[in-house]
Amino acid sequence: MAKWDYDGPILEIDKLSISFFTRLREIPAVMDFSVAVQPGEAVGLVGESGCGKSTVALGVMQDLGKNGRIVGGSIKFKGRDLSAMSEAELRTIRGSQIAMIYQEPMASLNPAMKIGRQLMEVPIIHQGASEKGAYERALQVVTDVKLPDPKRILNSYPHQLSGGQQQRIVIAMALMSEPALLILDEPTTALDVTVEAAIVELVKDLGRKYGTSMLFISHNLGLVLETCDRICVMYSGEAVERGSIEDVFDEMQHPYTQALFRSIPLPGADKNARPLVAIPGNFPLPHERPPGCNFGPRCDYFESGRCDQGYIAMEQVPGNDRHATRCLKFREIDWQAPLQLAAVKQKGEIGDVVLKMDKLKKYYEVAANAMFGGGDKKVVKANESLSFEARESETLAIVGESGCGKSTFAKVLMGLETATEGQILLDNRNIEQIPIEKRDTKTVSEIQMVFQNPFDTLNPSMTVGRQIMRALEIFGYGANDAERRERMLELLDLVKLPRAFADRMPRQLSGGQKQRVGIARAFSGGARIVVADEPVSALDVSVQAAVTDLLMEIQREEKTTLLFISHDLSIVRYLSDRVMVMYLGHVVELGTTDQVFSPPYHPYTEALLSAVPIADTSVKKKHIVLEGDIPSAMNPPPGCPFQTRCRWKSQVPGKLCETEVPPMRDFNGHQIKCHLSDDKFAEMEPVIEIAAE
């Protein structure tokens, strides 16, 4: 069937229910779920982990595994019911008419097969194309997804490409047969914001070029705003609100949608005057859903005897285009009511300098031929003369793409690596050459770390309480186990976990709860400096709000210096006092948060700010997409590290950018490492503009 033969919705899901069957019980994963995708339309599906977004996608692909079954409703593709099709029919549709792009690109690529061969398989199998025709089509699509040197790429293996390039190849593969429907399941989660911005731009362009309809699954509301025409919000297996982007963002009609927006930092929000509001309580397990409204137990507007009775249907919101909500009280709630402010928090006074770095360098020597260890040695310049200070009670954010040296510097600070040159002073004591095994207990307990992935940092075979007590023992706290146990319970109170969790195993905790245990452990020795390495990037937005707020609160009480490593600039803007931007081992900009977020910018900071998706329809953003990938630290470009991707390079006379490392310039305490003239800096316009209320 050609694409233009059908004029109804490309995908129509009606009252869909999907359950998984275990030996003990039926677990309902999706219930009474309806959504339609019209030709050429992009629909965003948002919600927290575990709400059933991916189950819906797998239902569309008819790929629910042995124990998953559709127990009610229907999924129609171009008017035909997918569950009534034979395996052979489904095989022809999957991959040619419906294509899916997954979160992890390497899961979709064969590591032992060249890219060109993998792409050519699609038209050869689905359309009976010739080798020559398939190669030309592959070359065309790789050019479409804006990959440099397409012929070289087709001749490469997957491991020779960066994460962003791999994801583009997966998108190219999905587009090879010009599908009518493209399902994207969190396609940019593992990528840097600059790469994410380029992929999002690409997906939108390709949607326009090929007229493809899209179902875009994400938990990032800003991303959905930038890519989709319509949105469907899911909570605990059900659709709770559907409508156009403008209607849902500006006139939300469901308490869960409202709660999601309150838990994300928007531009201009002050962390002390307007703290993020986390959603109270926890997400219900599929077999323990409450009666009536699933969101009832966590809802501000809950009314006993009404919201907890029987089935609640989706209702149309009058006056809006196909806008529906699953809330009994949506006509009664004052959606425009101002947010009741939580107690305004007083920011801790920023104290003396605790940590000072001076011209820190970290180089690694690696064999040029890594597989056999032969050949010349090559030097990886991971950190190039880093200099900065951090004070008591201060939050210093360290921002940059993967590979810019953020984590290397954290390792040197922690003593997991030693410095090549330069110094690190902790209270005027040099620690840059002392590896962790030679550091005294006091130094180890004073510098602690909270890691990105809470799942990897806990011992799966030890209770939560025992793990915190073990840290206390190592830090020499208390005379006996009883004293340590008491302190451990106090630490659980500090991170707002019930004391009963002391006897639980890590597998019984959610991601956000595990991250809290990690934070409790980091603060167990009275840490003065905590390095938080992307501590919320693996968590849902609603949990992110709770964890960031918790970090701020502990910082206020303990006067901790927080070094917050992140690539999410909206969180950075919300919680940091100063920001340090890194690129390829260099500090390219350093200043207070207000300075870094308003012009003049380093050209790289400007591009980073433009790449951040913002979940607010009133924000206007300058559009800058970085070309190319980050150069390798083994083979950095001469001159300015950023010159290969800089849009301002032509404004600098001669070959200065390509031959000389720029000096660090000072604009009233705001430092920028760049060759641009003062006049050019004065011409810079703001990247993010917030419309006046």
Side-chain angles (χ1 to χ4, degrees):
M1 187 190 293
K3 280 185 208 164
W4 47 86
D5 291 356
Y6 183 71
D7 58 1
I10 295 290
L11 178 71
E12 190 170 14
I13 300 176
D14 189 39
K15 295 189 166 50
L16 176 71
S17 293
I18 297 174
S19 288
F20 290 91
F21 293 86
T22 66
R23 280 182 309 214
L24 295 175
R25 59 169 78 90
E26 173 188 349
I27 297 175
V30 173
M31 298 154 311
D32 184 35
F33 177 82
S34 306
V35 74
V37 183
Q38 302 296 335
E41 190 173 65
V43 175
L45 194 52
V46 294
E48 298 171 89
S49 316
C51 72
K53 306 186 296 285
S54 297
T55 307
V56 168
L58 293 171
V60 175
M61 297 302 281
Q62 296 287 308
D63 183 18
L64 291 165
K66 282 197 181 70
N67 60 350
R69 272 212 298 282
I70 293 177
V71 291
S74 63
I75 304 175
K76 288 183 176 160
F77 174 67
K78 292 185 176 175
R80 296 181 60 204
D81 191 336
L82 286 167
S83 50
M85 290 185 189
S86 67
E87 267 302 311
E89 280 182 295
L90 281 171
R91 263 201 305 276
T92 47
I93 282 186
R94 274 190 214 128
S96 66
Q97 298 258 336
I98 306 178
M100 184 153 170
I101 295 168
Y102 295 91
Q103 189 167 349
E104 178 46 67
M106 271 314 277
S108 316
L109 295 172
N110 181 338
M113 200 177 190
K114 285 188 175 170
I115 298 289
R117 199 71 242 152
Q118 297 190 50
L119 289 173
M120 286 161 65
E121 273 187 343
V122 182
I124 289 172
I125 291 169
H126 285 293
Q127 294 157 348
S130 66
E131 286 269 330
K132 185 170 181 292
Y135 181 79
E136 279 166 9
R137 176 94 188 96
L139 199 60
Q140 171 61 44
V141 175
V142 171
T143 312
D144 279 351
V145 296
K146 301 190 170 64
L147 278 166
D149 197 351
K151 286 190 170 155
R152 181 183 64 80
I153 296 259
L154 290 180
N155 203 28
S156 305
Y157 286 99
H159 70 267
Q160 294 171 306
L161 308 183
S162 70
Q165 290 175 331
Q166 287 172 359
Q167 193 59 292
R168 284 168 190 237
I169 289 298
V170 173
I171 293 172
M173 201 182 283
L175 291 168
M176 281 299 284
S177 54
E178 299 195 14
L181 176 68
L182 188 56
I183 301 174
L184 302 105
D185 190 358
E186 303 263 14
T188 59
T189 306
L191 305 174
D192 278 312
V193 278
T194 47
V195 181
E196 177 178 85
I199 297 271
V200 163
E201 189 62 20
L202 171 74
V203 166
K204 285 199 305 208
D205 285 353
L206 296 170
R208 282 193 289 270
K209 178 174 177 181
Y210 291 111
T212 312
S213 305
M214 288 188 275
L215 185 62
F216 192 95
I217 297 173
S218 180
H219 64 258
N220 184 330
L221 289 160
L223 214 51
V224 169
L225 170 75
E226 293 190 1
T227 38
C228 301
D229 309 301
R230 301 181 63 76
I231 182 173
C232 173
V233 182
M234 271 187 97
Y235 180 78
S236 190
E238 295 179 324
V240 292
E241 185 163 10
R242 277 195 308 268
S244 70
I245 291 286
E246 288 75 18
D247 288 346
V248 174
F249 274 63
D250 298 340
E251 296 177 41
M252 55 195 74
Q253 298 285 316
H254 194 281
Y256 175 60
T257 315
Q258 186 183 49
L260 267 185
F261 275 91
R262 284 179 178 173
S263 61
I264 29 185
L266 291 176
D270 173 43
K271 65 181 171 195
N272 293 310
R274 201 194 131 200
L276 297 183
V277 182
I279 304 175
N282 286 320
F283 198 77
L285 291 170
H287 55 281
E288 292 173 359
R289 291 192 176 105
C293 173
N294 283 344
F295 189 58
R298 305 174 74 187
C299 178
D300 290 345
Y301 310 103
F302 178 75
E303 189 180 318
S304 182
R306 183 177 170 197
C307 298
D308 49 9
Q309 305 295 312
Y311 166 75
I312 295 170
M314 287 290 269
E315 281 189 74
Q316 290 301 316
V317 176
N320 285 346
D321 167 41
R322 292 178 289 154
H323 187 182
T325 177
R326 195 184 294 271
C327 177
L328 294 172
K329 303 180 69 174
F330 79 92
R331 290 181 184 86
E332 305 155 33
I333 294 170
D334 177 4
W335 296 103
Q336 302 306 320
L339 187 60
Q340 280 203 323
L341 269 184
V344 172
K345 307 279 175 54
Q346 281 307 308
K347 169 94 188 89
E349 277 297 303
I350 292 182
D352 300 334
V353 172
V354 179
L355 180 73
K356 186 173 176 2
M357 282 211 181
D358 192 28
K359 299 193 176 67
L360 179 83
K361 290 187 181 180
K362 177 62 187 169
Y363 292 176
Y364 292 98
E365 269 201 357
V366 291
N369 185 337
M371 195 179 269
F372 304 109
D376 303 331
K377 288 268 192 277
K378 273 201 168 178
V379 174
V380 176
K381 298 180 175 179
N383 287 153
E384 278 282 11
S385 48
L386 295 187
S387 298
F388 69 88
E389 299 179 337
R391 295 174 175 78
E392 184 178 271
S393 281
E394 180 178 53
T395 304
L396 172 69
I398 297 143
V399 187
E401 294 168 284
S402 313
C404 73
K406 307 186 295 279
S407 298
T408 301
F409 128 77
K411 282 179 185 164
V412 178
L413 178 60
M414 298 290 298
L416 300 171
E417 300 280 356
T418 51
T420 308
E421 245 178 66
Q423 49 182 358
I424 302 177
L425 297 164
L426 173 66
D427 293 331
N428 286 325
R429 301 198 312 278
N430 282 68
I431 57 167
E432 69 282 345
Q433 292 302 335
I434 311 174
I436 193 150
E437 60 273 15
K438 297 218 174 103
R439 289 189 178 180
D440 57 38
T441 310
K442 182 172 179 290
T443 308
V444 172
S445 66
E446 282 185 345
I447 307 179
Q448 283 292 301
M449 194 155 179
V450 178
F451 295 91
Q452 180 168 2
N453 192 341
F455 307 95
D456 295 344
T457 55
L458 298 178
N459 181 337
S461 56
M462 204 187 260
T463 64
V464 164
R466 192 68 244 154
Q467 303 200 40
I468 298 174
M469 284 166 68
R470 185 155 158 50
L472 288 167
E473 203 175 321
I474 290 168
F475 297 145
Y477 181 92
N480 52 33
D481 257 11
E483 286 185 20
R484 283 191 280 272
R485 185 169 178 81
E486 190 47 43
R487 174 71 182 140
M488 176 268 294
L489 293 172
E490 287 169 11
L491 283 162
L492 286 180
D493 296 342
L494 181 72
V495 296
K496 298 189 168 50
L497 281 177
R499 288 186 165 201
F501 275 38
D503 302 319
R504 289 200 182 179
M505 302 303 275
R507 66 169 185 276
Q508 295 169 291
L509 274 56
S510 70
Q513 290 166 342
K514 285 182 188 164
Q515 194 59 295
R516 284 163 187 249
V517 176
I519 293 170
R521 209 170 44 177
F523 280 95
S524 59
R528 302 194 43 219
I529 298 171
V530 169
V531 182
D533 189 358
E534 303 263 12
V536 293
S537 63
L539 307 174
D540 277 315
V541 277
S542 56
V543 185
Q544 275 185 11
V547 172
T548 27
D549 235 30
L550 175 72
L551 274 171
M552 304 311 301
E553 203 165 305
I554 298 177
Q555 181 186 40
R556 271 190 289 269
E557 284 173 24
E558 309 269 326
K559 294 192 161 58
T560 321
T561 304
L562 201 57
L563 299 182
F564 193 86
I565 298 177
S566 180
H567 66 256
D568 181 344
L569 282 163
S570 41
I571 285 190
V572 163
R573 180 173 197 163
Y574 171 74
L575 59 79
S576 59
D577 301 301
R578 285 192 307 138
V579 181
M580 174 164 105
V581 183
M582 287 184 71
Y583 185 81
L584 216 59
H586 291 257
V587 174
V588 294
E589 184 162 359
L590 179 62
T592 66
T593 308
D594 289 343
Q595 286 171 334
V596 171
F597 277 80
S598 48
Y601 309 105
H602 186 279
Y604 176 57
T605 312
E606 182 188 48
L608 271 185
L609 289 173
S610 155
V612 181
I614 296 171
D616 189 338
T617 51
S618 67
V619 168
K620 296 280 172 283
K621 219 168 51 160
K622 212 190 229 159
H623 198 65
I624 304 158
V625 172
L626 281 184
E627 297 296 320
D629 283 309
I630 304 185
S632 154
M634 218 188 273
N635 195 9
C640 170
F642 188 59
Q643 51 108 343
T644 55
R645 301 166 80 193
C646 181
R647 72 189 196 109
W648 288 85
K649 190 162 106 174
S650 58
Q651 309 287 328
V652 176
K655 296 265 185 199
L656 202 57
C657 294
E658 291 159 29
T659 52
E660 282 182 40
V661 174
M664 192 58 111
R665 310 262 291 284
D666 198 303
F667 298 84
N668 301 326
H670 178 195
Q671 300 177 320
I672 301 178
K673 195 182 246 188
C674 184
H675 285 303
L676 281 173
S677 66
D678 287 5
D679 297 349
K680 287 293 169 209
F681 274 131
E683 278 173 28
M684 282 194 176
E685 294 167 354
V687 172
I688 298 169
E689 289 194 60
I690 306 161
E693 285 293 314

